[in-house]
Amino acid sequence: MAKLVILKFDGGSFQDGFKITLRIGEEGEPLTTEIPGKLPPNSALPQNYQRWQSDFSELDKCLRGRRGNSGVIYPQQILEQCQQSATAFIKHFKNWLNSPDKALQNLREKLYQKLG
């Protein structure tokens, strides 16, 4: 049977950090483990996401044959910019989840113990 892992955000912000609860159980069964924790502040993450979202919107407009903000359509250039902003967002997000913050390290250690 597969493990089910849920990350519940219990409030907070990118400026102050987020209180979280990690819930673990077996698929189809009640969740048996709850581990409280905290994600550290990360005020740059929303900006990274908005940049990727904007670039993706421009790509969508280009692919649908509409003019984007630039006025001139260069599909390859827009595609490359979208890929770069997506890569930057993913990297920033992973760095946030792998933060050396002590509370987050404890949560990861408990997760690894539960999942083997």
Side-chain angles (χ1 to χ4, degrees), residues 35-52:
I35 306 167
K38 187 172 193 257
L39 281 169
N42 188 335
S43 59
L45 192 61
Q47 296 165 348
N48 278 255
Y49 175 75
Q50 289 169 354
R51 177 65 188 177
W52 169 75

Side-chain angles (χ1 to χ4, degrees), residues 37-109:
K38 187 172 193 257
L39 281 169
N42 188 335
S43 59
L45 192 61
Q47 296 165 348
N48 278 255
Y49 175 75
Q50 289 169 354
R51 177 65 188 177
W52 169 75
Q53 188 179 36
S54 174
D55 289 344
F56 186 81
S57 179
E58 286 296 310
L59 178 62
D60 181 58
K61 289 176 188 175
C62 179
L63 294 176
R64 293 177 188 265
R66 292 179 271 160
R67 295 172 81 81
N69 289 337
S70 63
V72 179
I73 298 174
Y74 299 106
Q76 188 60 36
Q77 185 180 14
I78 294 171
L79 176 62
E80 288 172 6
Q81 180 61 39
C82 188
Q83 289 170 331
Q84 289 172 0
S85 61
T87 299
F89 170 70
I90 291 168
K91 180 181 177 184
H92 204 85
F93 186 75
K94 286 181 179 181
N95 287 343
W96 184 43
L97 294 179
N98 288 317
S99 166
D101 182 83
K102 188 70 172 164
L104 192 54
Q105 284 181 346
N106 290 336
L107 185 106
R108 278 194 304 266
E109 288 172 12

